[in-house]
Amino acid sequence: MPINLRAKTPADGLFESNAAILELQRAENQLGRLAPPSWPEDVFGKIDRDKAKAGKALFMELCASCHNAWPYRWTEPNKFGKRFVLVGLVPQSYVGTDHTQAEAVRAFAVTGQLGDYLPPELRGKDVVPTKEFTRSMLGGVLMRAVAKLKLPPADLLNLNGYRELPSPSPPDRVYKAAPRDGVWATPPFLHNGAVPNLYEMLVPASERSKKFCIGREFDPIKVGLDTTCGPGTFVMDTSLLGNSNAGHSFQDGPRGNGVIGPRLTDDQRWALVEYLKSIPEEPGRVTPFGGPPSGQ
């Protein structure tokens, strides 16, 4: 998306963009009506419902405190009466996964001609934290694009998703642990795609595949990528910078520093895999935008 960050002032076009705000809203509304995909038993085989039931009990015990599970934990209603699904926030230092992504961006940014148009606490400074600079810059782009629409207050409130603004800054080096409904369809796993299937997400990190091939074929047994090498595949080498498959490890030892749960038996792992295949347990289940009515 072209954004003008070269002009000296907003009057000269600073923060101008071709952001199609109403089209973005339409896309968001359409996504909000989508249900997570159900495991296609006619293609990948029947789900063992007894095993999935056992896996659900394990998930609620070991995983649900971070990965919210249906019917989900919700916020209290905000001033607009809307509630939102609570997403687990897990520090990188606890889950222990690859930290390169968090360190790839320089800690500070030179503001240049943008310095005079940043929020008061940053205004006029030559160098500011990159995180705050980016947030402020994108805020300027968004405000300019929305202002051009000249929306009435009710439409602007709808455009903002009935959220209270300004939004709080996201915590640093913290990952979102979203609900796992439909996760079977999203390999490879971890934020850097360093684990090929759900089964390997449940073993000690030291026992995971060190190298594997990524292609377009699905593995319905371990639930993830078919790691067979061949034409059209490429090798994921987890020893390379940014590709580590450490962390999120189920192993003996104290929690933290990459250990998130106890070492599981193989039966427990397969039960959890079967449960993860089975959610959503109700096909076509759509999470209500803004949350269920208060008190439910």
Side-chain angles (χ1 to χ4, degrees):
M1 183 177 72
I3 300 173
N4 186 343
L5 298 178
R6 294 182 177 274
K8 293 185 177 181
T9 69
D12 297 326
L14 184 65
F15 299 130
E16 183 67 45
S17 73
N18 69 344
I21 297 296
L22 295 182
E23 288 302 298
L24 290 170
Q25 182 186 27
R26 181 185 65 79
E28 285 189 356
N29 290 342
Q30 183 175 357
L31 289 170
R33 296 194 298 271
L34 292 179
S38 294
W39 177 266
E41 292 187 295
D42 57 330
V43 177
F44 293 143
K46 295 289 186 181
I47 294 171
D48 185 326
R49 298 295 169 177
D50 290 335
K51 189 178 291 186
K53 183 178 179 180
K56 181 175 183 178
L58 284 168
F59 186 92
M60 295 305 171
E61 176 188 352
L62 301 174
C63 311
S65 61
C66 292
H67 292 292
N68 205 340
W70 184 267
Y72 306 136
R73 299 182 300 277
W74 298 80
T75 64
E76 292 299 316
N78 65 8
K79 66 182 181 181
F80 306 117
K82 299 295 184 181
R83 303 165 70 195
F84 301 94
V85 173
L86 286 169
V87 176
L89 299 176
V90 186
Q92 188 276 329
S93 59
Y94 181 86
V95 73
T97 50
D98 192 287
H99 53 77
T100 309
Q101 185 182 72
E103 297 172 351
V105 179
R106 293 178 181 175
F108 294 94
V110 177
T111 61
Q113 80 278 12
L114 303 176
D116 292 335
Y117 301 99
L118 296 175
E121 65 273 15
L122 303 177
R123 193 170 298 155
K125 296 182 178 180
D126 294 329
V127 178
V128 299
T130 298
K131 180 180 174 183
E132 298 303 322
F133 177 66
T134 302
R135 180 179 173 83
S136 300
M137 180 186 66
L138 295 179
V141 173
L142 178 61
M143 287 189 292
R144 186 175 180 92
V146 171
K148 289 167 58 176
L149 300 175
K150 297 181 170 56
L151 296 175
D155 290 347
L156 185 60
L157 189 62
N158 182 275
L159 179 69
N160 290 332
Y162 299 95
R163 290 170 172 83
E164 300 181 58
L165 301 177
S167 301
S169 297
D172 190 32
R173 299 194 182 215
V174 170
Y175 292 117
K176 294 180 179 178
R180 298 291 80 190
D181 303 58
V183 70
W184 65 267
T186 64
F189 300 103
L190 294 184
H191 64 277
N192 60 351
V195 178
N197 54 62
L198 289 177
Y199 179 84
E200 290 199 20
M201 288 295 296
L202 303 171
V203 303
S206 62
E207 298 179 13
R208 291 173 181 152
S209 301
K210 305 300 186 290
K211 290 184 180 180
F212 59 90
C213 284
I214 295 179
R216 298 180 59 85
E217 297 301 316
F218 190 77
D219 176 0
I221 305 301
K222 291 187 175 180
V223 184
L225 297 177
D226 181 340
T227 57
T228 304
C229 296
T233 66
F234 70 92
V235 176
M236 166 62 87
D237 183 347
T238 63
S239 69
L240 299 179
L241 181 66
N243 287 1
S244 171
N245 63 2
H248 200 284
S249 184
F250 287 89
Q251 65 184 67
D252 297 329
R255 303 293 182 269
N257 296 316
V259 180
I260 65 163
R263 186 181 184 97
L264 303 172
T265 67
D266 216 39
D267 285 345
Q268 288 175 319
R269 293 170 191 152
W270 288 118
L272 279 164
V273 168
E274 206 70 10
Y275 170 65
L276 292 169
K277 287 162 51 175
S278 75
I279 52 176
E281 295 166 292
E282 178 187 330
R285 183 173 68 199
V286 178
T287 304
F289 172 74
S294 181
Q296 290 190 6

